[in-house]
Amino acid sequence: MRSAILLAFVALYGCATAPGYRSSSVQPPQAFRETSGDPQPATPSPESPHPLSPSPVGRGGTKDEPPVSSDYWDQLSDTTLSRLVGEVLRGNLDVRSARARVSAARSDRIRSVLDLTPSATLAAGYSRQRLSSASFPGSFGAFPDQNVWDAGVNASWDLDVFGGIRHTVQARGALADVAQEDLRDVQVSLTAEVARAYFELRGAQEQLLVAQRNAENQRRTFDLTKQRLDAGRGSAFDTERAQAQLSSTLASIPAREAQVAAAQYRIGTLVGRSPTEVARELEQTAALPQLPEVASIGTPDVVVRYRPDVAAAERFAAAQGALVGAAKASYLPRLTIGASAGYAAPEFNAVGNQGTLRYVVGPVLTWPGLNLGRVKAEVDAAQAREEDARAQYSRVVLAALEDMETSLARYRAARIQVERLQDASAASERAAGLARLRFKEGVTDFLQVLDAERTELEAQDRLAQGRIDAATAYAALYRAVGGR
């Protein structure tokens, strides 16, 4: 019989073994296609770990807050942008909320760690009772009422022989790491968002200046046609067409002004200050910063591992794996040492007197032998959640690789587009100047002037929009590489 029981516990111990650690099923390439142009499948050497292998379960969630690099923005040499990035990291309300969640997750882990230590509670109370004579064989009649004053300490210590609590501690540590990575994800996302809003502000200001400059040029052209009409050398048709083009350009200015104001207010909200206050600070017009060329951002395995969403997904999968171990530990017995000591007396003044001392101490062994079906259901559910977390981890890795390649492609294409638009803008500006000069000298008709000025406005506006697109692609690239 004892041999059978022993064999049963050995089998249960095998069932209760914690799951092995598994890395993502996604293999990143050795280099980014958009930077190397030569994508190859990764072939890690046998002695090196898998590039996306998880770090040990339960790092504790006590590491310092991971830094969000400012070098990415400092190289643009825009002091206003650098200041706004710093304000977002300090004052944004979503960042504050994420920091609070990190503190809560760390406190949860500490609470789990304390489950490994003995717990004790102080208790004191009063009761009035009457014992039944049936409780004492051989006794007859009614027992008198009694007052019982009781004070003492109750203690218990779960020895965690089979590691159920330890697995829970590991899971809580991994979840604290998840909260830490979520904080970094919020910081990176909001930094990219404020940079995007700042670029849109400067771009809208440039587009506003383009409209104003073209309106001034078109106003001079309108005045010229009016002077020629008054002198009898022009036509009312040319004057009306000049007036129509000028009015159309002037009509676009209020929309540009609204775009400027909206970007200013958006920045104010992101940095956690009054939007109108920040709008006043950003009224001064400034040009979009010159963007650097990104030749290389590192190897995919390093960049992917650094991304906060990938790191958070990996730590969450690790937490679910640890919870599977905690659930499996329920298959095995639980050994707890309990103790209680104190005083019990019929009168309050007698508490602590000789003869009122009481104590009890001893081990308690419990085993859910008749509830193994429930335990199995809990283990199955935990394993399903772990499998879901592992699948989500691989999905996040794939999405990260897609995001980085796409961001690199868009940034490279946006820089090339700006170069082409600069050539087009310069050529259209020269053509408009020549058309006005030729019309003034009577060499050409007014239709060519209108067409040249319209082309000039469109080219300059497209150049400003192209610069906005390139700058926002730069912000998206920062988000894609996880704030490196």
Side-chain angles (χ1 to χ4, degrees):
M1 181 65 180
R2 283 180 295 182
S3 298
I5 294 175
L6 180 60
L7 288 174
F9 277 121
V10 169
L12 288 173
Y13 183 74
C15 294
T17 303
Y21 219 51
R22 290 181 291 164
S23 60
S24 171
S25 60
V26 177
Q27 291 269 31
Q30 290 181 337
F32 289 109
R33 178 175 181 269
E34 294 299 328
T35 56
S36 68
D38 184 24
Q40 297 291 335
T43 54
S45 59
E47 65 274 6
S48 64
H50 189 284
L52 291 180
S53 60
S55 51
V57 183
R59 293 179 293 184
T62 57
K63 64 180 180 178
D64 293 334
E65 183 176 310
V68 176
S69 174
S70 62
D71 295 342
Y72 194 91
W73 309 111
D74 291 342
Q75 63 180 318
L76 300 181
S77 301
D78 191 316
T79 56
T80 302
L81 175 59
S82 298
R83 174 176 60 82
L84 293 174
V85 167
E87 286 190 42
V88 164
L89 297 179
R90 291 189 303 270
N92 184 272
L93 299 179
D94 288 334
V95 172
R96 294 182 188 178
S97 178
R99 285 199 181 102
R101 290 194 292 271
V102 171
S103 297
R106 289 177 175 176
S107 297
D108 288 339
R109 180 187 178 274
I110 293 173
R111 173 64 180 84
S112 297
V113 170
L114 293 177
D115 286 340
L116 292 168
T117 64
S119 63
T121 57
L122 297 176
Y126 162 79
S127 63
R128 184 170 178 82
Q129 66 181 14
R130 175 184 292 182
L131 300 177
S132 170
S133 60
S135 302
F136 301 91
S139 300
F140 300 94
F143 286 177
D145 292 346
Q146 293 178 313
N147 294 323
V148 179
W149 295 87
D150 186 90
V153 57
N154 301 317
S156 65
W157 183 16
D158 190 334
L159 297 183
D160 193 35
V161 177
F162 298 106
I165 298 178
R166 291 193 296 275
H167 283 303
T168 302
V169 171
Q170 291 173 349
R172 290 295 183 184
L175 290 175
D177 293 336
V178 171
Q180 185 73 70
E181 295 299 338
D182 286 343
L183 167 60
R184 190 160 65 91
D185 191 35
V186 170
Q187 291 175 323
V188 170
S189 298
L190 290 173
T191 299
E193 181 64 23
V194 77
R196 178 186 179 89
Y198 179 77
F199 294 147
E200 289 176 347
L201 167 65
R202 296 311 187 197
Q205 289 176 334
E206 181 177 346
Q207 289 177 315
L208 176 60
L209 290 176
V210 166
Q212 291 172 339
R213 286 198 305 268
N214 277 272
E216 186 61 31
N217 289 336
Q218 292 168 9
R219 192 185 304 278
R220 286 196 291 268
T221 300
F222 169 71
D223 292 340
L224 178 60
T225 60
K226 194 173 182 181
Q227 291 172 4
R228 290 170 62 89
L229 178 62
D230 293 341
R233 294 185 294 112
S235 68
F237 182 57
D238 290 344
T239 303
E240 292 300 327
R241 285 191 298 180
Q243 177 67 68
Q245 182 157 284
L246 172 60
S247 297
S248 178
T249 302
L250 291 174
S252 68
I253 291 178
R256 298 303 185 193
E257 291 174 338
Q259 289 179 341
V260 170
Q264 291 170 337
Y265 297 147
R266 177 60 181 156
I267 292 172
T269 300
L270 288 171
V271 300
R273 292 197 287 134
S274 169
T276 53
E277 175 187 350
V278 175
R280 285 192 293 269
E281 296 176 3
L282 297 175
E283 286 180 352
Q284 185 66 34
T285 301
L288 280 163
Q290 293 295 320
L291 301 176
E293 180 178 355
V294 179
S296 176
I297 59 175
T299 58
D301 61 319
V302 174
V303 179
V304 169
R305 191 205 306 266
Y306 188 81
R307 277 179 59 121
D309 56 342
V310 174
E314 182 270 312
R315 299 313 300 155
F316 184 74
Q320 295 302 317
L323 289 176
V324 171
K328 286 185 173 183
S330 298
Y331 277 123
L332 299 170
R334 182 175 179 179
L335 181 60
T336 303
I337 296 177
S340 178
Y343 296 93
E347 300 292 340
F348 178 75
N349 294 335
V351 174
N353 291 346
Q354 186 177 6
T356 62
L357 175 65
R358 60 164 182 82
Y359 73 88
V360 60
V361 62
V364 177
L365 186 66
T366 58
W367 179 56
L370 300 179
N371 293 317
L372 293 181
R374 294 183 176 89
V375 174
K376 183 180 184 304
E378 292 176 358
V379 171
D380 291 344
Q383 289 176 330
R385 285 190 289 268
E386 185 206 12
E387 193 62 32
D388 173 53
R390 291 292 171 187
Q392 291 299 318
Y393 174 35
S394 297
R395 181 192 62 78
V396 171
V397 171
L398 277 176
L401 291 170
E402 176 194 2
D403 187 22
M404 288 184 290
E405 291 284 15
T406 302
S407 298
L408 285 167
R410 287 177 176 171
Y411 181 62
R412 184 178 64 178
R415 283 175 53 83
I416 295 174
Q417 182 185 40
V418 168
E419 294 176 1
R420 302 292 186 268
L421 291 174
Q422 286 175 335
D423 295 340
S425 177
S428 64
E429 185 175 357
R430 292 192 297 269
L434 289 174
R436 283 189 289 266
L437 180 61
R438 288 166 61 86
F439 174 71
K440 186 176 181 180
E441 295 176 353
V443 178
T444 186
D445 61 6
F446 188 62
L447 182 61
Q448 293 187 9
V449 176
L450 290 177
D451 183 65
E453 288 184 343
R454 182 172 56 253
T455 302
E456 178 186 22
L457 174 60
E458 291 176 354
Q460 291 179 349
D461 190 74
R462 288 182 61 193
L463 173 60
Q465 185 61 51
R467 286 173 175 159
I468 296 174
D469 293 341
T472 54
Y474 184 77
L477 183 60
Y478 172 83
R479 175 68 180 89
V481 300
R484 285 172 60 88

